[in-house]
Amino acid sequence: PRVPGQIELFHQIEPSGEAKRVRYAVTWPQGMDLTFLPVNGLAPGKSTVTNGKHTLEWAFNDRDEIPDEDYTPPVEHLAGSMSISNWKDWSQLDAFFAPVVGESAKVTPPIQKLAEEIMAKSTSTADRIQGVFNYIDDNVRYVSMNLGQNGLTPHPAEETLKNRYGDCKDRTALAIALLKVLGVKAYPALVAPTLPEIQDALPRWGYFNHMIAAVEHGGLYFVESTDNNFPYTEQHPGLNGGQVFLIDGNGGKRITLPTEDLSNPGTWTTKRI
């Protein structure tokens, strides 16, 4: 219900206990166009239409118990799961999030004043960009907030600045607003864990659990919003291998960030995104 008109659901088959046969059924109104993505062991469904309702059934046969052991792969890679969505492509997510974050990242007099103070400290654009993120890290406490609509919508940048606290979305919107005054393009980017892999056949915002800023200045840099004193031109270790959806208002872009090679700690590798 947070995104008007959009439906998405992820259901994980309970991995504990053996079962000879488990049946799942989904029923929805006829005419509603949904996409289904069964993973790992769910047989193709049986489809029926009765009294204006679609029903799709899946059977899961001879299911073994999945023991809880150290170092096992993620449970979604071992047990069956089902994703359901009526998002048709990634551009729909971009069309929703771009104006939402844009509204939160408005430049107001307090934002303008702060940005000018940061600009006055250096003539270097790179130093000014770093100054924006350092200011946020030093003055805006990170507080995770996912209550109600704030699970998707950042607070207004001016409000975050006044409160001196905010979550990743709030800090990202504040950074984007300040960078606007500097004349630097920045975009919000949704981040998902390395695993499980995002399925392009079934777009949904539920893959993502984090938001960061993507800064465009002599390259495109993804800046971890909860550790801004880290050099913005370097990829934060917490983003290694991350799956990112860049929100640019032009359909968006799916990007997988590189992973540092840590097999030889004496070898340094520089990568530019």
Side-chain angles (χ1 to χ4, degrees), residues 92-106 153-154 188 247 249:
Q92 283 188 297
L93 270 76
D94 180 73
F96 169 75
F97 277 106
V100 165
V101 179
E103 180 68 22
S104 298
K106 280 185 175 180
T153 305
I247 302 164

Side-chain angles (χ1 to χ4, degrees), residues 11-266:
H11 181 74
Q12 176 73 60
I13 291 180
E14 174 56 47
S16 61
E18 298 179 359
K20 181 67 177 176
R21 179 177 174 84
V22 180
R23 186 177 70 89
Y24 288 86
V26 180
T27 301
W28 71 100
Q30 187 174 359
M32 180 183 290
D33 191 10
L34 298 180
T35 299
F36 296 84
L37 187 67
V39 177
N40 292 342
L42 282 176
K46 172 187 174 183
S47 178
T48 59
V49 179
T50 306
N51 298 325
K53 294 181 180 180
H54 282 279
T55 298
L56 201 55
E57 299 180 3
W58 289 266
F60 196 86
N61 297 311
D62 299 318
R63 184 187 68 187
D64 293 327
E65 179 181 0
I66 300 176
D68 184 15
E69 299 177 351
D70 293 336
Y71 309 113
T72 55
V75 66
E76 56 265 26
H77 284 205
L78 301 175
S81 63
M82 170 62 65
S83 294
I84 303 171
S85 174
N86 70 339
W87 296 95
K88 291 307 169 189
D89 52 50
W90 292 103
S91 65
Q92 283 188 297
L93 270 76
D94 180 73
F96 169 75
F97 277 106
V100 165
V101 179
E103 180 68 22
S104 298
K106 280 185 175 180
V107 176
T108 60
I111 299 293
Q112 180 78 30
K113 182 176 182 292
L114 174 58
E116 290 175 354
E117 291 173 358
I118 293 173
M119 292 171 65
K121 295 178 180 179
S122 175
T123 58
S124 164
T125 301
D127 288 345
R128 290 172 171 177
I129 294 171
Q130 188 67 53
V132 165
F133 289 108
N134 288 353
Y135 179 90
I136 293 173
D137 198 45
D138 293 339
N139 296 277
V140 181
R141 177 178 295 182
Y142 173 76
V143 178
S144 178
M145 294 180 290
N146 289 293
L147 300 175
Q149 193 61 27
N150 188 243
L152 291 177
T153 305
H155 289 96
E158 181 178 338
E159 182 179 330
T160 301
L161 181 61
K162 179 182 178 182
N163 291 339
R164 302 286 176 167
Y165 66 82
D167 63 9
C168 60
K169 299 180 296 297
D170 300 331
R171 289 160 65 108
T172 294
L174 176 57
I176 292 173
L178 291 167
L179 291 169
K180 282 181 187 177
V181 183
L182 272 61
V184 175
K185 285 187 177 181
Y187 311 94
L190 299 173
V191 182
T194 304
L195 292 173
E197 292 184 3
I198 292 175
Q199 302 294 322
D200 278 323
L202 192 130
R204 61 190 185 92
W205 67 263
Y207 291 118
F208 306 99
N209 62 1
H210 190 32
M211 182 181 284
I212 60 176
V215 180
E216 192 173 76
H217 178 68
L220 187 61
Y221 302 100
F222 293 90
V223 187
E224 172 53 57
S225 61
T226 60
D227 190 4
N228 298 143
N229 274 305
F230 195 85
Y232 85 90
T233 54
E234 298 180 23
Q235 181 172 298
H236 192 280
L239 297 176
N240 284 347
Q243 302 171 97
V244 173
F245 181 60
L246 178 70
I247 302 164
D248 59 6
N250 293 308
K253 297 176 183 176
R254 277 261 294 108
I255 299 169
T256 299
L257 300 181
T259 301
E260 286 181 312
D261 180 6
L262 301 178
S263 58
N264 184 348

